[in-house]
Amino acid sequence: MAGFPNDFLWGAATSAYQVEGAVNEDNRGPSIWDRFAHAPENILDHSHADVANDHYHRYKEDVQLLKALGVTAYRFSIAWPRVFPEGTGAPNPKGLDFYDRLLDELMANGIEPFATLYHWDLPQPLQDDFGGWLSRDTANAFADYAGHVAGRLTDRVKHLFTINECSRLVDLGHGTGQDAPGLKLPKRELNQVRHNIALGHGLAVRAIRSHGRAGTRVGPAENIVNCIPAIETPENIRAAEIAARELNAGYLTVMLEGKYTDAFLASTGRDAPKYGADDLGIISSPIDFVGLNVYTPAHYVVAADNKQGFALAPFPASFPNMSAPWLKLGPEAMYWAPRHVAKLWGVKSIYITENGTSAADEPAADGTIYDLDRIMYLRNYLTHLQRATSEGLPVQGYFLWSLMDNFEWSDGFATRFGLYHVDFKTQRRTPKLSASFYREVIRRNAVV
Ligand code: FCB
């Protein structure tokens, strides 16, 4: 198999709350993750991210970590509570200074910035005053913030992601309560939250168009509910496409089609969200690319002679997974995610915005972390990505999650996803063997 296209972008990713620390500096306001993590029962190791990787102060060192990998792009997120400490109203004059410095440092090192506007750190006042994403006010405030950032930073950032993983934000933040704000909403309210988040995405797209410099590109970064044909027959492939369209109905489907599918509306029934006549047009405002976070297959699909036209095969208990039980090892997910998006919606530009795995990451006797399981995982997923690009699917870049170990949400620091190991007592960063593997992939522009 040939390697990747010549202009393929290789990157690594992080997010603000997971790495920055400095939660009380330069007038940053509190976010729902500060509040959530400070209730010790919410986080596995009772930690919070007040300091995390201290990236706010160590960003220059961290840009050198990127440089040592040879990446050409970096995906980070901007903390809304730094920019608007109250969520709305007057911007904090110091709010974007850190990102100004970070951008300059990236540019000076030849690394192209890709910025996510919302990686889950909602300003706490919006939760307290409006009920967060239960209210359209939050969607409007998000658009104001997005427009402000676009006006200030798009001289250097040409690619903006609106919301990271709408579906996890809905399901884990507002359904199971595993993520901030830790809510377990009833169906009707959960459907409203889902709608308002999609609306926030669309309003932000429009705000970025009106405030950003010409040439600014914008899109979502979504963890598509990934539907894989169990066996690649034309019937199963068609069934997997139907399943992908239905199971992403509240996210990519409505963003790209401007309507909720009939089956989705039937499933919400009396608990359907309330929305205005213009909402679906706003949600489906034209985007320039789709970002996809791809970790694991959600479902293996077979053709079925039923009303919906597909059936989801149950996972056998023996199906392999990586160190986290949810992280099933199904590398073909990396091929089918972009293939569905290109085929179902004719999307012409796709980025893999996250992919990676946690691992035990124990140092061997010589001190090295031989994370062979992570290398195995990456090699397999990247092989399927290479299949995708060699078949002409329009994937233009790949961001590995994550540059370095960081605060892994409700797992705290116990779960490590980094290419660089971080000792959180000393803040020392040390490359794992997977960092060498990734550097070699980048150098050859091919899976090795
Ligand atoms: C994704 C998140 C990211 C990271 C990875 C492991 O759902 O977007 O911040 O936690 O999972």
Side-chain angles (χ1 to χ4, degrees):
M1 229 191 289
F4 288 88
N6 286 338
D7 52 357
F8 195 78
L9 282 181
W10 292 104
T14 63
S15 88
Y17 186 67
Q18 292 177 279
V19 299
E20 284 180 1
V23 293
N24 293 315
E25 273 179 59
D26 297 328
N27 308 324
R28 176 188 181 274
S31 81
I32 56 173
W33 265 99
D34 295 276
R35 172 77 62 86
F36 187 76
H38 273 268
E41 69 277 10
N42 288 334
I43 311 296
L44 203 64
D45 60 1
H46 306 312
S47 60
H48 50 66
D50 284 9
V51 177
N53 298 45
D54 195 29
H55 172 71
Y56 197 76
H57 300 115
R58 293 170 196 262
Y59 67 97
K60 287 193 177 174
E61 183 190 336
D62 293 338
V63 170
Q64 290 313 307
L65 302 183
L66 288 163
K67 194 147 189 220
L69 293 171
V71 299
T72 42
Y74 176 49
R75 174 176 178 239
F76 62 97
S77 83
I78 294 170
W80 182 353
R82 290 198 191 281
V83 187
F84 289 90
E86 298 291 322
T88 180
N92 167 21
K94 293 184 178 169
L96 286 171
D97 290 358
F98 167 68
Y99 304 102
D100 268 325
R101 295 194 289 276
L102 175 64
L103 288 178
D104 290 343
E105 192 68 16
L106 289 167
M107 310 299 266
N109 284 278
I111 298 169
E112 188 167 348
F114 283 64
T116 310
L117 290 161
Y118 184 69
H119 204 120
W120 309 342
D121 43 0
L122 188 77
Q124 184 67 45
L126 293 179
Q127 193 67 43
D128 296 341
D129 298 347
F130 302 131
W133 290 106
L134 251 179
S135 163
R136 296 174 74 92
D137 292 330
T138 296
N140 287 321
F142 179 55
D144 292 344
Y145 152 70
H148 177 76
V149 174
R152 285 278 310 273
L153 299 186
T154 51
D155 56 335
R156 283 155 294 163
V157 189
K158 297 295 175 209
H159 293 81
L160 291 172
F161 301 106
T162 52
I163 298 178
N164 182 69
E165 297 194 355
C166 296
S167 64
R168 176 165 167 181
L169 178 60
V170 172
D171 293 340
L172 268 52
H174 300 81
T176 66
Q178 184 191 309
D179 285 356
L183 299 177
K184 296 180 183 162
L185 296 177
K187 234 174 132 192
R188 178 190 297 248
E189 294 188 334
L190 196 61
N191 287 331
Q192 195 63 52
V193 162
R194 183 182 296 109
H195 178 81
N196 292 345
I197 288 172
L199 183 68
H201 155 83
L203 288 168
V205 170
R206 293 191 173 186
I208 291 163
R209 297 262 183 254
S210 48
H211 296 276
R213 307 280 202 287
T216 304
R217 302 180 76 221
V218 57
E222 190 53 34
N223 55 335
I224 182 173
V225 179
N226 213 339
C227 297
I228 321 287
I231 304 167
E232 286 190 22
T233 62
E235 298 75 25
N236 284 345
I237 291 172
R238 184 67 204 125
E241 287 165 358
I242 297 170
R245 181 167 174 267
E246 287 303 343
L247 300 182
N248 291 285
Y251 310 106
L252 287 175
T253 308
V254 69
M255 288 176 192
L256 290 158
E257 295 186 20
K259 59 172 193 264
Y260 288 123
T261 67
D262 295 340
F264 175 79
L265 288 175
S267 75
T268 56
R270 287 175 37 228
D271 295 318
K274 289 205 175 62
Y275 53 90
D278 296 340
D279 283 14
L280 297 178
I282 295 169
I283 292 172
S284 59
S285 300
I287 50 181
D288 302 299
F289 55 80
V290 167
L292 295 171
N293 292 0
V294 179
Y295 288 91
T296 191
H299 302 287
Y300 285 87
V301 181
V302 289
D305 198 7
N306 58 17
K307 198 165 146 244
Q308 57 183 8
F310 65 89
L312 305 177
F315 278 97
S318 55
F319 198 93
N321 57 259
M322 302 304 291
S323 70
W326 64 267
L327 218 174
K328 297 195 167 63
L329 180 62
E332 59 278 24
M334 187 55 96
Y335 170 77
W336 285 101
R339 160 120 178 214
H340 286 326
V341 169
K343 176 86 193 297
L344 282 170
W345 299 299
V347 171
K348 299 273 184 305
S349 174
I350 296 171
Y351 293 95
I352 302 303
T353 33
E354 289 180 24
N355 170 245
T357 183
S358 53
D361 287 344
E362 284 135 3
D366 67 359
T368 306
I369 292 175
Y370 293 98
D371 53 342
L372 302 174
D373 48 350
R374 181 175 287 109
I375 293 174
M376 178 276 291
Y377 173 97
L378 293 171
R379 182 187 292 122
N380 280 286
Y381 277 67
L382 288 172
T383 298
H384 284 269
L385 186 60
Q386 202 165 278
R387 175 186 175 196
T389 55
S390 63
E391 286 183 15
L393 291 174
V395 183
Q396 291 161 338
Y398 168 92
F399 295 86
L400 198 151
W401 185 275
S402 177
L403 170 63
M404 53 186 165
D405 297 337
N406 55 49
F407 180 77
E408 180 46 33
W409 309 115
S410 60
D411 281 2
F413 296 103
T415 297
R416 294 176 178 272
F417 269 88
L419 291 171
Y420 287 85
H421 175 271
V422 178
D423 177 336
F424 290 99
K425 289 200 191 74
T426 61
Q427 292 295 346
R428 188 154 171 235
R429 282 94 157 118
T430 312
K432 304 174 191 174
L433 194 64
S434 56
S436 305
F437 167 78
Y438 192 42
R439 187 186 313 117
E440 199 55 24
V441 169
I442 296 171
R443 197 179 67 75
R444 296 200 211 172
N445 201 33
V447 181
V448 286

